Amino acid sequence: MNWRRVGDVGLWAGLSLLVLAESGARNDSYWVRAACVAALFVGVFVRRVRPLLAFTVVAWAQIVILAFALGTSHGVQIALVPAITLLSYLAGRRETQLKHFVLVCSWSLLGMLLLTLVVRREEQATEAVLTWLVMLLLALLLVVLPWLIGRYRAQQALLTTAGWDRAERIEREQRMAIDQERLRERSRIAQDMHDSVGHELSLIALRAAALELDPSLPDKHRRAASELREMAGTATDRLGDIIGVLRDTDAPLVPRDENVPTLVERAAASGLAVRLVQEGDAELSPMVDRAVHRVVQESLTNASKHASGAAVTVTVTSGEDDVRVRIVDTGAVRPVPSSVPSSGRGLDGLRERVRLVGGTLTAGPLRDGFEVVATMPRAGGPPEPEAEPSVSAAAAERATVRRSVRRGLITAVAAPLILGAVVGVVALAYYLVAGYSSILLPSKYDGLTIGQPEHEVEKALPSMQMIDPPAEGYTPPAGWTCRYYRPDAPFSANYAYRLCFDDGVLVAKAIVQTGSVPPTTETG
């Protein structure tokens, strides 16, 4: 059984039940109920793959309902609001891009305003705009804030995932370190076998050869000695094969007493264009001598791999206190095959080798070629302190993700507050401007008479009507149109003026109550 689909059906059924219950209480038509249930179906079942589409479908269903229901006696259906809030949260939870979410919300709010102005033309534009600003404030609370919370939760999940990924990567690195240590141990074992067992087999072969040539022994014993010598040679060859298996293929066996000139000659004999320049002939300590050999060996290996056809110059300069090795190549003159094996750790190994004898190594590209320079004390010295990064990679990655999550939390809290404050200030300013533009002074009101033509009355009227007329429940007779004006600045009076016109004539004027306190006026 697909439990995810079962959950989707349950969610759709729950949200639909809210809509049907409210629509039944309001006696909405069946097509309205079906349209809302269909919008919820689309929203629930596509929210995982198209979260913004799911949110947009349900939001626009609510927008159409608002456009037709605002300002009517039927009230406003709000059963879709929980679904809109939930889908907004899920859109943020699934890391929907900010610009796409902002575009959807902006066009939806603009569409709501335009649709309201078109559907309810009889209402004042000022009242429609003020209602739209109130809807904008509600959208910040019910849409933007859930999306930001979802985005914050997504970033929290990212932090958790990054932690587990980092732990797995550390485990892989530990396994790699163990494997490398095992390879180094195998290499040491191979070296020991080469130095000790190989030497013993050579002595056995040498003694067997002496017995083979001893004239005092019977022919049978000399043939046995000959067979023993041949077996020792065969064992030596087989030992070499075993050593080749145990040792790392990137570290070929070379004689321990091989010096730099012999190494360079061997590289030149293999086809590498290399020359050696020696300046000074000071004696080096064994560790430094092997480090110099290792630097030259690795540099020549890298040149043969990555600088095909290049000319290489090896310069060894022995001073009074130190020795300097510089290997420079002229760069590849032929394309390097992409399949050339490379561990990428050779230079790191050289740095460690040079550091252990108290020296330093630098390596980097030149304009034409590559350069490796190592400087070491002739007699060796204490290892240079190993430079450790001030901040580990894991700590840096964790700090980056935490900063991102912290910014997400601040945004989730601050953005709705700032946007709400801005919209609130705009709405208040708009209300005050409209309020001061709808003041009908008591003296002008008293000067209006029943039966006066409308065009004469309009000369005494302000430029705007009240955008918040009293909810007195007054129903004018058929054909009448009524307007409301305030006698003073907003928040300063508890009554308003009502003027009603019919067929271009003022037919009624009245003072109406605007609050719970009966009106107290100078005129009535």
Side-chain angles (χ1 to χ4, degrees), residues 251-335:
L253 280 173
V254 296
R256 294 182 62 87
D257 57 351
E258 181 185 56
N259 53 26
V260 171
T262 305
L263 173 62
V264 172
E265 290 177 1
R266 188 158 55 87
S270 65
L272 183 65
V274 57
R275 68 186 184 94
L276 173 64
V277 178
Q278 287 186 300
E279 300 175 355
D281 191 19
E283 184 179 355
L284 306 178
S285 69
M287 286 291 291
V288 174
D289 182 69
R290 300 311 300 168
V292 170
H293 179 277
R294 184 73 183 93
V295 170
V296 176
Q297 181 189 46
E298 181 66 24
S299 300
L300 294 181
T301 301
N302 289 339
S304 63
K305 286 182 178 180
H306 306 293
S308 179
V312 184
T313 301
V314 178
T315 305
V316 180
T317 304
S318 299
E320 295 182 358
D321 300 319
D322 56 18
V323 58
R324 183 173 182 267
V325 185
R326 182 172 182 263
I327 301 94
V328 180
D329 65 66
T330 58
V333 297
R334 295 189 297 270

